[in-house]
Amino acid sequence: MKKIHIAIVLLILFSNIIQAQTHADKLIGILEDSGSKYIFVAAHRGDWRNAPENSIKALKKSIEMGVDIMETDVRFTKDSVLVLMHDTTIDRTTTGKGKLSDYTYAELQKFYLTGGLNRKTYERIPTFEEFMLTAKGKILINVDKSWEYIDKIVDVLKKTGTLRQALIKGEDSYTEVNAKYGSLLNDIFYIPIVKEEQTNLNAFVDEYLNKTRPIAFEILYSFEKSPMFEQIKKIKQRGRRIWVNTLWGEMCAGHEDERALDSPNENWGWVIEHGATMIQTDRPAELLEYLKRKRLHTLN
């Protein structure tokens, strides 16, 4: 009887360990697997067609939909609270007007976020901390508009226990980022943004590849014979992922979301064939459906 009792206890403990692995943990495991064929789907500002962009509701709908990553934008209020907001002003996305940085967080709470047709909703501007607590264990988060204060972003991520759920982007060279943040780069999933107009393109990419281990590179290319494809080839040979935006044609040689709705193979399929392993989209539901048909979005 004693042996049976011990076996039951061990079984329960083992079961609890398995259950403790969250959906986000599974995604992180795939993200770190250089041999995985899985294509990550990132919802641009969340499911903004059905909720206000950069809102808690847009996050929850993204989670329900089954996207892997929600992209969001983080800025400071007047009293140094990190909140979600793409623009420097609140005019386009809220019932208020003026610069975000002119308001304290408490003052911002009198405004509502707006949705489709600029209609008022009952969502308010969330703090980054509130947002990450909602996302905890459920989804990965791409933090944009934040490279000037990555250290402050990391403070919130550590406080909420979500450090490994965040993918942080930046436009600066490795030398510039390292000079500002030093070893902090080793604590986060960092994604350098690479553009066609980048001075010394080879050196920009090589420095990151040789001096640190970015989880991915965001690659922007405007035409099909772009020199960026040589960079993509080199990056993939080093086992790093390639993030491509299909939001607008100038980001992906014209193979954008709206064209993909009618011709998915010629557009989403094209960017995948040309190296993309992470796709940021304004059409997450349709992209998910396409990838599942192609068996490119199946969790083991």
Side-chain angles (χ1 to χ4, degrees), residues 18-221:
I18 293 174
Q19 291 175 8
Q21 186 183 46
T22 66
H23 182 67
D25 292 329
K26 293 178 183 178
L27 292 173
I28 293 165
I30 296 170
L31 188 67
E32 294 182 312
D33 180 3
S34 60
S36 172
K37 303 298 183 185
Y38 189 89
I39 305 297
F40 282 79
V41 174
H44 182 225
R45 304 181 201 172
D47 184 16
W48 61 259
R49 294 182 186 277
N50 297 300
E53 68 176 58
N54 286 330
S55 66
I56 296 295
K57 189 174 182 180
L59 169 62
K60 289 179 177 178
K61 284 189 168 293
S62 296
I63 293 167
E64 290 169 8
M65 189 188 301
V67 301
D68 309 296
I69 304 163
M70 175 174 159
E71 183 268 353
T72 193
D73 309 284
V74 182
R75 295 186 184 275
F76 271 121
T77 63
K78 184 178 181 179
D79 53 340
S80 299
V81 176
L82 288 168
V83 297
L84 270 55
M85 183 65 55
H86 178 272
D87 303 352
T88 56
T89 68
I90 63 173
D91 301 46
R92 181 179 63 84
T93 56
T94 80
T95 55
K97 293 189 179 299
K99 289 184 178 180
L100 175 75
S101 58
D102 286 343
Y103 290 95
T104 66
Y105 173 68
E107 290 169 341
L108 287 171
Q109 292 310 290
K110 66 184 178 183
F111 304 124
Y112 291 96
L113 292 171
T114 54
L117 302 177
N118 203 36
R119 300 284 294 179
K120 181 186 84 171
T121 70
Y122 293 94
E123 292 280 307
R124 299 186 192 271
I125 299 170
T127 66
F128 182 52
E129 181 175 339
E130 175 190 7
F131 180 80
M132 291 308 301
L133 285 172
T134 304
K136 190 171 183 176
K138 302 179 182 75
I139 192 172
L140 304 184
I141 300 298
N142 169 217
V143 186
D144 206 358
K145 304 293 181 189
S146 62
W147 45 81
E148 293 302 321
Y149 36 88
I150 290 175
D151 53 339
K152 305 301 182 187
I153 295 291
V154 169
D155 287 344
V156 173
L157 296 174
K158 287 182 176 178
K159 180 180 179 182
T160 55
T162 57
L163 183 63
R164 283 175 58 80
Q165 279 181 242
L167 313 176
I168 302 176
K169 289 182 189 168
E171 294 184 336
D172 293 333
S173 70
Y174 171 79
T175 298
E176 292 169 315
V177 177
N178 188 57
K180 187 169 184 178
Y181 298 115
S183 62
L184 190 63
L185 274 184
N186 298 324
D187 298 334
I188 61 177
F189 288 131
Y190 188 71
I191 301 179
I193 300 171
V194 190
K195 301 179 179 180
E196 284 171 333
E197 62 269 26
Q198 176 66 52
T199 305
N200 298 321
L201 185 57
N202 268 312
F204 182 91
V205 172
D206 288 348
E207 191 173 32
Y208 272 107
L209 286 173
N210 295 331
K211 295 185 178 179
T212 187
R213 288 180 57 82
I215 198 67
F217 286 77
E218 178 178 319
I219 304 294
L220 306 174
Y221 49 82

